[in-house]
Amino acid sequence: MSHQYLVVDLGGVLFRFDHAHRLQRLADVFALPADRIDVLLWRSGFSADCDSGKYPHAAEIRVRIRAATGFTGRDDDLDAAWCSAFRPDYAVRETLERHRGSRPLALFTNNGPLEQEALLRLYPTMFDCFDHLLFSHRLGHRKPALAAFGAAAKQLGTYPDDILFIDDSATNTDAARAAGWTALHFQSRETLEQTLRPRFQ
């Protein structure tokens, strides 16, 4: 079956993802224990609220991070530490570009406005091949909620069975299939290339 849209995840597919590394970077920048930062910014639900669109602007998120942690340094240092979990995988980007064919390429990610603003500024070439950037904070729902997949398809202006979705989370790919999408569980660039080559040649 030919799919009109190729939709991929950000953390774990387009970027390698390492939350423990981010916590250590934040600990160094904020001069707080990593476990304390995890409690304040993740286990508290704050990060999930950012992803869901509760705080629509990156500037407000920075203010709240500063209030929670006591950080008084530069925004650039905060942004870099906050986004340090994400390390670009240029080989995956090249594979997507080379094997997408004529299909539109979309990014679909659970992330908030601070990640969207900072990552596009820090790594512009990782995003310039995408026709659509679907960040959960703009959709108002996070994967694996079925509402997130419905909102994403609506944003793309297409039907579920026109979408091929690639994510490193089996929970998310299962949810995508439940929403009527074709979904593939990402494991490596090599398997991605093997999957896309016959579909897009």
Side-chain angles (χ1 to χ4, degrees):
M1 177 183 293
S2 176
H3 296 88
Q4 183 180 359
Y5 282 84
L6 174 59
V7 180
V8 302
D9 183 35
L10 191 155
V13 179
L14 185 66
F15 285 69
R16 298 184 182 93
F17 183 79
D18 187 344
H19 180 59
H21 173 76
R22 168 167 54 188
L23 287 177
Q24 190 54 58
R25 279 286 305 277
L26 289 167
D28 293 341
V29 170
F30 294 165
L32 290 172
D35 287 348
R36 181 61 178 158
I37 292 170
D38 200 24
V39 168
L40 290 172
L41 301 179
W42 275 272
R43 283 185 263 171
S44 66
F46 171 74
S47 178
D49 286 343
C50 295
D51 294 348
S52 298
K54 183 175 181 179
Y55 311 111
H57 303 293
E60 180 181 1
I61 292 172
R62 293 189 189 97
V63 168
R64 291 181 177 274
I65 292 172
R66 290 176 181 277
T69 64
F71 178 66
T72 59
R74 301 187 311 152
D75 282 352
D76 285 351
D77 293 333
L78 187 158
D79 291 358
W82 182 258
C83 293
S84 62
F86 301 95
R87 302 179 186 183
D89 192 328
Y90 295 101
V92 167
R93 184 209 176 279
E94 191 272 336
T95 295
L96 291 170
E97 178 76 4
R98 185 156 41 90
H99 292 298
R100 65 185 287 190
S102 61
R103 278 86 170 164
L105 179 62
L107 187 74
F108 179 24
T109 179
N110 284 348
N111 275 296
L114 183 52
E115 288 92 342
Q116 182 170 6
E117 179 184 303
L119 287 172
L120 268 67
R121 183 179 71 250
L122 293 168
Y123 306 107
T125 61
M126 290 297 291
F127 299 93
D128 59 12
C129 64
F130 287 91
D131 303 289
H132 304 273
L133 299 176
L134 306 177
F135 279 72
S136 60
H137 75 95
R138 293 191 177 276
L139 299 174
H141 303 281
R142 301 172 72 242
K143 298 174 289 184
L146 289 179
F149 293 93
K154 182 177 180 180
Q155 187 72 28
L156 293 173
T158 193
Y159 296 103
D161 58 4
D162 280 337
I163 299 171
L164 173 61
F165 175 59
I166 298 168
D167 196 297
D168 66 308
S169 164
T171 299
N172 289 342
T173 54
D174 287 346
R177 293 185 191 101
W181 297 20
T182 298
L184 297 168
H185 184 205
F186 177 84
Q187 298 182 24
S188 69
R189 183 199 62 80
E190 290 77 15
T191 57
L192 174 66
E193 183 151 1
Q194 290 169 8
T195 298
L196 294 183
R197 187 183 299 116
R199 289 176 183 266
F200 294 118
Q201 285 185 344

